[in-house]
Each structure stands twice: as structure tokens, then as C-alpha cells.
Amino acid sequence: VFIRYALNEKALYEYMSALIWNESLTRKYYQDQAIFLEENAKNLYLVLLEHLNSVNFRLFLKEEALDELTYWKQRPDAFKRHPPPVIAEPKPVDNQEEFPEAQQAVVAPKKKKRKRKKKVSVIADIDTTEDIKQAEIDKKREEEEKRKAEEEKLRKELEERERIQQEEAERIRAKLEQEQRDLERKQAEIEARERLLQEQEEKK
């Protein structure tokens, strides 16, 4: 069902690209000799898949048995090549017995119908080398963009950390200044009380 749906949506190339370029996933579930793990083979595979986007598919999707693992095993006839039907040749007709007048009648010759030659669509050869190079260039460009995005993300994280540290330092400095002012105020109050007591003693 997945392949039929992807072909109908012209998205099989995008889905398979996402799978193939996910190396951690392919190395986990595919053997070393698989096409998805060989660089040149998977590039060529994707190039061929990309050309399917120009074909319009209308595949049937509502068959419930498509999701069964034994779908094709239960239908062995689907893989067999059926021979073309044999058309029996018509029996010759004895004109003398059934159509005695046929000998006297003048039969006009039948015109032969010209068979139209079917136009064979020629599929242009694909320059696989150029396509593979372009795929490699696109891959490198994506990796470069990904690296730049990661660097930008890291830079923003560092700036955010510096901002938080700076705010914390400002808060601590403000707290220390407030404590210093409170201490000076208390010291001034103590000195004022001492002077007041001293003046009272002198008056006595």
C-alpha cells in the first residue's frame, strides 16, 4: 500500500531519499552489501526513482488484503505469464454445396487494410554520471547547510548562557550593594545612639 500510495502522490523519490540518507537507520536494518549502503548504487537508484515523478499513477488502494504479508503468496497466478488466447481458424466453406450461386457471382476483391504502425516511445538515455555528480553536490550542500544551522544554534545557546550569567552577576552585585548600604545605615544609627548617650552623660 505504501508504494502504491507514494506512486500515486509522486512522492516515492522523497520518501526513499529520506530513508536512504538516514545512515543510522539503514546500517541498523540493512546488511553491508545492500544497495542502500553503497554510495554509487544508492545515488543511481535515487536518480531512477526521480524520473518516476513525471509519470501519472492511478493505482488501486482500497484492497484490504494489500497489508497482508502473504498477499502475493496467496496469488501465485499473478506472477505467471499467461499465453495469448488461441483463435481457431474458420472452417472452409464448400461453396458448391451451400452456395451454388457463388460460382456465377462475381466476388469483388477485398481491400487490404493497412496496419498502422504503432509509435514506439523512445526513452531518452539518462546521463547517470552527471546525475550522480549533481546528487553528490546536493548532498554536500545539504550537509553544509546543516553544519551552518548547528553552528548558528550553538552560537545562540552560548549567547543565551552569557546573557543569563551576566544577569546573574548583575543581580548579585546589586544585592551586595544593597547589603553594603544597609550595613552603612546601621553603622550610622549605632554611631548616632552612641553620641546621644554620650551627650546625656555629659549633661548629668
Side-chain angles (χ1 to χ4, degrees):
V1 176
F2 163 72
I3 294 179
R4 292 192 180 193
Y5 176 79
L7 288 173
N8 287 348
E9 296 295 326
K10 296 184 178 182
L12 184 60
Y13 169 75
E14 286 76 10
Y15 292 150
M16 297 307 295
S17 296
L19 171 63
I20 288 176
W21 294 120
N22 190 342
E23 294 184 358
S24 60
L25 187 64
T26 52
R27 292 190 181 279
K28 182 178 180 181
Y29 291 101
Y30 291 90
Q31 298 180 359
D32 294 337
Q33 64 272 20
I35 294 177
F36 290 174
L37 297 179
E38 188 177 350
E39 193 70 22
N40 293 331
K42 66 183 180 182
N43 286 332
L44 179 59
Y45 177 74
L46 290 176
V47 168
L48 296 176
L49 280 184
E50 187 176 7
H51 288 79
L52 288 178
N53 290 343
S54 60
V55 182
N56 293 325
F57 288 92
R58 292 293 182 271
L59 301 177
F60 187 68
L61 301 175
K62 295 184 179 180
E63 187 176 352
E64 296 180 356
L66 283 174
D67 290 328
E68 297 179 1
L69 297 177
T70 59
Y71 177 79
W72 294 110
K73 291 183 179 179
Q74 295 175 359
R75 294 162 177 80
D77 295 338
F79 294 100
K80 293 182 180 179
R81 292 186 176 181
H82 299 284
V86 179
I87 302 175
E89 296 181 358
K91 295 181 180 180
V93 179
D94 191 355
N95 294 331
Q96 294 180 356
E97 295 179 359
E98 296 185 8
F99 304 100
E101 297 85 2
Q103 296 178 354
Q104 300 176 359
V106 178
V107 180
K110 294 182 179 180
K111 294 182 179 180
K112 294 183 179 180
K113 294 182 179 179
R114 293 183 179 179
K115 294 182 179 180
R116 294 183 179 179
K117 295 182 179 180
K118 295 182 179 180
K119 295 181 179 180
V120 180
S121 59
V122 180
I123 301 175
D125 294 334
I126 302 171
D127 192 354
T128 55
T129 305
E130 293 296 329
D131 292 335
I132 291 173
K133 288 181 179 179
Q134 185 63 35
E136 291 177 353
I137 292 172
D138 294 340
K139 181 184 176 182
K140 290 180 180 179
R141 186 185 299 113
E142 290 178 359
E143 291 177 352
E144 184 67 19
E145 292 176 355
K146 184 178 179 181
R147 184 182 62 80
K148 289 182 179 179
E150 290 178 353
E151 290 179 354
E152 182 67 18
K153 182 180 178 181
L154 182 60
R155 185 181 62 80
K156 289 182 179 180
E157 290 179 355
L158 291 175
E159 290 178 354
E160 183 67 17
R161 288 179 184 177
E162 290 178 358
R163 185 184 63 80
I164 293 173
Q165 290 176 357
Q166 188 174 2
E167 290 178 355
E168 184 68 17
E170 290 289 339
R171 187 179 63 81
I172 293 173
R173 183 167 58 253
K175 184 178 180 181
L176 291 175
E177 290 177 355
Q178 182 64 32
E179 291 178 354
Q180 182 67 25
R181 287 194 295 269
D182 293 342
L183 184 61
E184 291 176 355
R185 182 175 55 80
K186 290 180 180 180
Q187 186 69 26
E189 290 178 356
I190 292 172
E191 291 177 355
R193 288 179 182 178
E194 288 179 353
R195 286 196 301 270
L196 182 61
L197 291 174
Q198 188 176 1
E199 289 176 358
Q200 290 177 357
E201 289 178 357
E202 289 177 355
K203 288 180 181 180
K204 291 180 180 180

